[in-house]
Amino acid sequence: MSPVPAAITKEIAGLRKAVRATVPDRTGANLLIGSWNLRAFGDLTPKWSAGPKDSPKRDWRSVAMIAEIVSHFDVFAVQEVRRSTTALRFLMERLGLSWRFITSDVTEGDAGNGERLTFLYDSARVQPSGLVGEIVLPDAVDKSATQFARSPYAASFTTRGVEFILTTVHIIWGKNAAARVPELSAFAAWMRAWADRTDDWNQNLLVLGDFNIDRLDDPLYQAFISTGLFTPGDLSAVPRTIFDDDKSKHFYDQIAWFWDTDSPVLADILTGLSYASAGSVDFVPHVFTGLSKNELSWRISDHFPLWVEFHLD
């Protein structure tokens, strides 16, 4: 690999400054979790700047920018990792020796879209604690269950004596919004049942990913929160995609966990973790300036990364 060009080094430094202005520093008393739909994150053009005839347009420069953002977190869920892991493996090289990943297999079939679900984590801060698996719906007495188009993927982690479980998902887009409701409802019901089993491995369940929720309080959002999952209010105001504007705001991506809705004061049911802050990272002004947003989406993503910070009790 050729050395990083000076202009790209400067671009990375500018992005680093912007991320630091948005995301809290990692300390001995906090945990930073991120989630990002990285558009078609699969193949890679092996040069610092892809040319007009190169395909894909994602190149070393693109992944270096993605790595800069991810490096500010402890653990990161990534959706739309494709069958080819070329870009993923280059991302791990850029992140450094302390970073590891856990990834699902591809969900086969047209609806699966050749996608994996992946967790990246900094082993200097977070370690897997043993649990990993895909969610499979049980059959009913009189009919077989319709499985998720892309099987949700769960993994447990531990940090400084606190264990937590992340479940990531990319809900099917479908022919229309109504086609997404069954998956959202099934996912919410599954997570609630998991949280309620007294003899299960289920402490500190969090869900994160691309739920393809169009609007706050629409039927999709109601299906998502129907069993007690809630997102922090800080995420309600941030855009989800680089194409969002004041007239068109979406709520595709979410980070959520269960709250005690029977309590007089709404309170979460986490143990050892206290919610501190949340937000997104707007990378658009700092990378590939001069390109259209559509061109940028194929190099970085059409989604913004979401993040949440917890204090360790």
Side-chain angles (χ1 to χ4, degrees), residues 275-292:
Y275 170 72
S277 61
S280 66
V281 177
D282 183 0
F283 55 84
V284 174
H286 311 289
V287 299
F288 290 96
T289 56
L291 293 185
S292 70

Side-chain angles (χ1 to χ4, degrees), residues 33-37 75-79 118-120 166-168 208-209:
I33 299 172
S35 179
W36 200 357
N37 180 324
V75 59
F76 221 100
V78 181
Q79 302 85 47
T118 303
F119 296 108
L120 315 173
L166 304 181
T167 303
T168 187
L208 64 176

Side-chain angles (χ1 to χ4, degrees), residues 69-88:
I69 294 172
V70 171
S71 69
H72 292 263
F73 296 87
D74 297 319
V75 59
F76 221 100
V78 181
Q79 302 85 47
E80 279 203 38
V81 175
R82 291 295 180 84
R83 188 183 303 273
S84 169
T85 59
T86 304
L88 174 62

Side-chain angles (χ1 to χ4, degrees), residues 104 107 117 132-138 146-155 165-169 183 186-192 194 197 205-207:
S104 72
T107 302
L117 294 163
V132 65
E134 298 179 354
I135 291 178
V136 178
L137 297 174
T146 300
Q147 298 300 326
F148 295 98
R150 295 174 282 258
S151 300
Y153 195 51
I165 299 170
L166 304 181
T167 303
T168 187
V169 68
E183 278 204 350
F187 179 79
W190 173 274
M191 295 303 300
R192 179 79 260 178
W194 187 5
R197 288 194 286 267
L205 292 178
L206 291 93
V207 304

Side-chain angles (χ1 to χ4, degrees), residues 239-307:
R240 267 39 176 195
T241 83
I242 66 175
F243 301 110
D244 280 1
D245 54 36
D246 291 339
K247 295 181 179 179
S248 177
K249 290 185 177 180
H250 299 93
F251 290 84
Y252 297 148
D253 307 279
Q254 300 288 341
I255 302 177
W257 54 96
F258 285 109
W259 293 66
D260 183 2
T261 55
D262 294 328
S263 172
V265 179
L266 189 65
D268 64 43
I269 57 174
L270 299 177
T271 301
L273 297 173
S274 298
Y275 170 72
S277 61
S280 66
V281 177
D282 183 0
F283 55 84
V284 174
H286 311 289
V287 299
F288 290 96
T289 56
L291 293 185
S292 70
K293 287 187 176 180
N294 184 58
E295 291 171 322
L296 177 61
S297 74
W298 291 106
R299 288 162 172 82
I300 305 294
S301 183
D302 52 340
H303 288 243
F304 292 116
L306 293 188
W307 59 266

Side-chain angles (χ1 to χ4, degrees), residues 3 27 56 63 125 139 153 182 207 237 267 296:
T27 72
V63 179
R125 298 267 297 176
D139 292 337
Y153 195 51
V207 304
L296 177 61

